[in-house]
Amino acid sequence: MNSIDFVKNTLTFWDKITPIDRRLIMDNIALLHYKKGTHIYHTELDCMGILIVKSGELRVYLLSEDGRDITLYRLTPGEVCVLSASCVLKNITFDVHIDAEQDSELLLLNANFFQELYNKNIYVENFASKLTIRRFSEVMWAMQQILFMSFDKRLALFLLNESKKNNSDIIYLSHEQIAKYVSSAREVVSRMLKYFSNEGIVKLSRGQVILLDKAKLEKIL
Amino acid sequence: MNSIDFVKNTLTFWDKITPIDRRLIMDNIALLHYKKGTHIYHTELDCMGILIVKSGELRVYLLSEDGRDITLYRLTPGEVCVLSASCVLKNITFDVHIDAEQDSELLLLNANFFQELYNKNIYVENFASKLTIRRFSEVMWAMQQILFMSFDKRLALFLLNESKKNNSDIIYLSHEQIAKYVSSAREVVSRMLKYFSNEGIVKLSRGQVILLDKAKLEKIL
C-alpha cells in the first residue's frame, strides 16, 4: 500500500476534515527510516508528532533515573503512536522513550500541524484521545503482569504470545531482549529459561528460544 | 453549593448539550451516601455510571487474584470518576475497584443515560476521554513510584535521618532546601511530599514537614 492510502486508512478522522486539510496532512507527513535499536524519541527532548508504523516495530517504555526500563507496549505496522505527540495531547504528564525494535519505516505527521488540526477539529482531538485510552489499557495490562504475576507465569505468557504473534515455535530473541519486553533483568530471564529447558519445555540456542512443549507452558499460567 | 450548580460546574460539556438533555441529566442524577470503607464499585460486577464526588474521598485501585491492592489514585470533592462508567468508554479493558476512603456524598449519573449522551454528542465523549487521560497520567506516576522505588526511598531516608538528628518529628525545611540535601529538583520533592501526605505519612505546612507515621516511612526503605 502506498503512503497516501496508508495514511487515509489509519487517520480515521479523514472524512471529518476539509479537502485542504487532507492535502496539508500529506504535505506535513515525512517518511522516516530507523535502523533496529535506534532511540527515536524521549518526551523531554522533543515533541515529534504522530507516528504511523508502516513497517517494523516500535517499543514504548519508561526509564528510571537509575536506568531501569519498563516496556509499556509495542507498536506494529498500521498502528499509530500518539505519545510521541504528548505535547499536543492535554493531560499527559509522564515521560516515555521510544525505540525502533526492528528496522522501521515510519510516517511522521509533524506536531505543529497536528496541533493545529487538534485544536480546530474535535474529531481529530477525539481520534488522539481514543488512541491514548487504548494505550492506557495496554499499559494497565503490562503493569498488572509486572505487579501481580509471578515471573514464571510472565515469561511463559510472553513466550506463548510471541509464538502466536509470529505463528512460529521459534522465538528469535536474545535473553537481553526478552528481559526488556517482560521488564526484568537478563540474569532472571536466563535462569528461568534454563529451568524451562531442564523441564523440557524449551530448547535454548544462540539468539533463539525453541518451544518444545507448549501444553506444559500453558499449564504454568 | 447545591447539586444542580455542582453538576453544571463539573460537567464541562453543559453548554454543548440541549436544554432537554440538561433537564434529563438532572432527572438521571442520584445523590448517594457511602460510609467510610464501603466498597462502591468493581468493573466486573456492574456498570455504575459517572460519579461526581460532592464530599469525602474515593480510592480507585487494582486488586490481584491473591488480594494484592495497588492504589491508582484518589478522588476528592469536585472530581469526576469516569472508570465507574468504563462500560461506556471505548477501549477501556481493565478492571478497577473503588472504595469510599471517607464518608462520601456522590452524585451518580447513571450509565444508560450517559451512554446515550456519549453516543450522540462528541463533546460528551470528549469530556470522558479527557478525564480518562488525566487519570492515565496519575496512574503512570503511581506506577513509577511502585516500580522505580529509588527517589521515595531517598526522601524517606532523609526525613527519618533529619528527625533523628534533631530528635523531633517536625522538620523545619522548605521543599527547596530538602531538594538540595537529597540532590533533586524542588518539583520532584514537592510532588513526593504531596504523595506522602496523601498517604497520611506526613503533614505539610509552611516551611515544615511533620512526620505523622514514621513506621510507614520506614516501610518505604
Side-chain angles (χ1 to χ4, degrees):
Chain A
M1 203 190 314
N2 66 36
S3 294
I4 296 157
D5 296 334
F6 204 86
V7 170
K8 286 181 187 168
N9 292 338
T10 318
L11 303 180
T12 52
F13 55 76
W14 193 258
D15 304 335
K16 303 288 192 180
I17 58 176
T18 65
I20 296 140
D21 282 333
R22 286 182 204 149
R23 212 188 55 245
L24 282 171
I25 285 181
M26 298 320 299
D27 297 344
N28 281 278
I29 275 190
L31 180 61
L32 307 176
H33 298 264
Y34 287 98
K35 284 252 152 278
K36 177 176 182 170
T38 319
H39 184 266
I40 295 176
Y41 173 82
H42 176 215
T43 317
E44 283 181 340
L45 296 183
D46 47 9
C47 185
M48 219 174 169
I50 295 290
L51 285 170
I52 305 171
V53 182
K54 197 159 183 252
S55 71
E57 184 174 271
L58 301 183
R59 184 172 71 98
V60 180
Y61 60 100
L62 297 174
L63 203 57
S64 73
E65 285 174 358
D66 55 358
R68 285 180 53 215
D69 172 323
I70 303 282
T71 296
L72 299 178
Y73 51 84
R74 291 188 273 168
L75 296 167
T76 51
E79 293 193 286
V80 179
C81 185
V82 277
L83 291 187
S84 50
S86 57
C87 55
V88 176
L89 303 168
K90 297 184 184 81
N91 299 334
I92 288 282
T93 61
F94 55 92
D95 295 346
V96 297
H97 292 259
I98 303 171
D99 286 4
E101 288 303 296
Q102 307 295 337
D103 294 348
S104 302
E105 274 187 315
L106 307 177
L107 293 161
L108 171 66
L109 178 57
N110 79 64
N112 294 339
F113 179 68
F114 184 70
Q115 177 86 69
E116 258 181 60
L117 273 181
Y118 180 97
N119 292 345
K120 75 182 177 188
N121 187 320
I122 192 162
Y123 292 94
V124 175
E125 183 178 351
N126 218 268
F127 167 82
S129 300
K130 285 228 199 76
L131 276 173
T132 310
I133 292 168
R134 188 181 308 159
R135 299 310 163 209
F136 186 10
S137 288
E138 288 176 15
V139 165
M140 292 307 287
W141 188 83
M143 292 301 180
Q144 290 181 63
Q145 301 315 306
I146 295 162
L147 295 169
F148 294 152
M149 252 200 191
S150 62
F151 186 70
D152 57 339
K153 285 187 182 176
R154 258 162 71 199
L155 187 56
L157 187 62
F158 173 79
L159 295 173
L160 288 165
N161 287 341
E162 281 296 301
S163 157
K164 207 164 141 198
K165 192 176 106 194
N166 308 320
N167 189 28
S168 159
D169 289 350
I170 305 175
I171 291 153
Y172 295 95
L173 292 172
S174 68
H175 298 186
E176 190 75 51
Q177 290 169 299
I178 294 173
K180 264 190 190 161
Y181 294 148
V182 299
S183 303
S184 180
R186 192 197 43 74
E187 299 70 23
V188 179
V189 169
S190 298
R191 199 185 321 132
M192 188 63 71
L193 284 174
K194 185 83 171 42
Y195 166 76
F196 284 173
S197 105
N198 293 339
E199 295 292 304
I201 297 170
V202 301
K203 184 170 176 302
L204 304 175
S205 70
R206 183 163 194 71
Q208 43 180 273
V209 178
I210 300 137
L211 306 191
L212 301 176
D213 190 339
K214 284 200 260 185
K216 229 173 174 178
L217 210 47
E218 268 148 10
K219 274 210 204 74
I220 295 172
L221 302 183
Chain B
M1 203 190 315
N2 66 35
S3 294
I4 296 157
D5 295 334
F6 205 85
V7 170
K8 284 181 187 168
N9 291 339
T10 318
L11 303 180
T12 53
F13 54 77
W14 194 258
D15 304 335
K16 303 288 193 179
I17 59 175
T18 65
I20 298 139
D21 282 333
R22 287 181 203 152
R23 214 188 55 246
L24 283 170
I25 284 181
M26 297 321 297
D27 297 344
N28 281 278
I29 275 191
L31 181 61
L32 308 175
H33 298 264
Y34 287 99
K35 282 253 154 277
K36 178 176 181 169
T38 319
H39 183 263
I40 296 177
Y41 173 82
H42 176 215
T43 316
E44 283 178 340
L45 297 182
D46 47 9
C47 185
M48 216 173 171
I50 294 291
L51 286 170
I52 305 171
V53 182
K54 198 160 182 250
S55 71
E57 183 176 273
L58 300 183
R59 184 173 72 99
V60 179
Y61 59 100
L62 295 175
L63 203 58
S64 72
E65 285 171 359
D66 57 355
R68 284 177 54 213
D69 171 323
I70 304 278
T71 297
L72 298 178
Y73 51 84
R74 290 150 186 256
L75 296 167
T76 51
E79 292 194 286
V80 179
C81 185
V82 277
L83 291 187
S84 50
S86 57
C87 55
V88 176
L89 303 167
K90 296 184 184 80
N91 299 333
I92 288 282
T93 61
F94 55 91
D95 295 347
V96 297
H97 292 259
I98 302 172
D99 286 3
E101 289 297 291
Q102 307 295 338
D103 295 350
S104 301
E105 274 188 313
L106 307 176
L107 293 161
L108 172 65
L109 178 58
N110 78 64
N112 294 340
F113 178 68
F114 185 69
Q115 177 86 68
E116 256 181 61
L117 273 181
Y118 181 96
N119 291 345
K120 74 181 179 189
N121 187 320
I122 192 161
Y123 292 94
V124 175
E125 182 179 353
N126 213 39
F127 168 81
S129 299
K130 285 229 198 73
L131 277 173
T132 310
I133 292 169
R134 188 184 306 160
R135 300 309 165 210
F136 186 10
S137 287
E138 287 175 15
V139 165
M140 292 307 288
W141 191 78
M143 290 302 179
Q144 290 180 63
Q145 295 320 303
I146 296 159
L147 296 169
F148 303 148
M149 274 307 212
S150 53
F151 181 70
D152 55 345
K153 280 186 185 177
R154 254 158 72 204
L155 186 56
L157 186 63
F158 172 79
L159 295 173
L160 287 165
N161 288 342
E162 280 296 301
S163 158
K164 207 165 141 194
K165 196 177 87 191
N166 308 321
N167 189 24
S168 158
D169 289 352
I170 305 175
I171 291 155
Y172 296 92
L173 292 171
S174 68
H175 299 185
E176 191 73 52
Q177 292 168 297
I178 295 173
K180 268 193 192 147
Y181 293 136
V182 298
S183 11
S184 178
R186 193 200 41 77
E187 297 76 12
V188 179
V189 170
S190 298
R191 195 169 50 175
M192 187 64 70
L193 284 172
K194 181 84 164 41
Y195 170 74
F196 283 176
S197 100
N198 290 338
E199 295 295 309
I201 297 169
V202 303
K203 184 170 175 303
L204 303 176
S205 70
R206 185 163 194 73
Q208 44 180 268
V209 179
I210 301 137
L211 306 191
L212 299 177
D213 191 339
K214 282 200 262 185
K216 231 174 174 177
L217 207 49
E218 265 149 3
K219 274 210 204 75
I220 292 171
L221 304 181

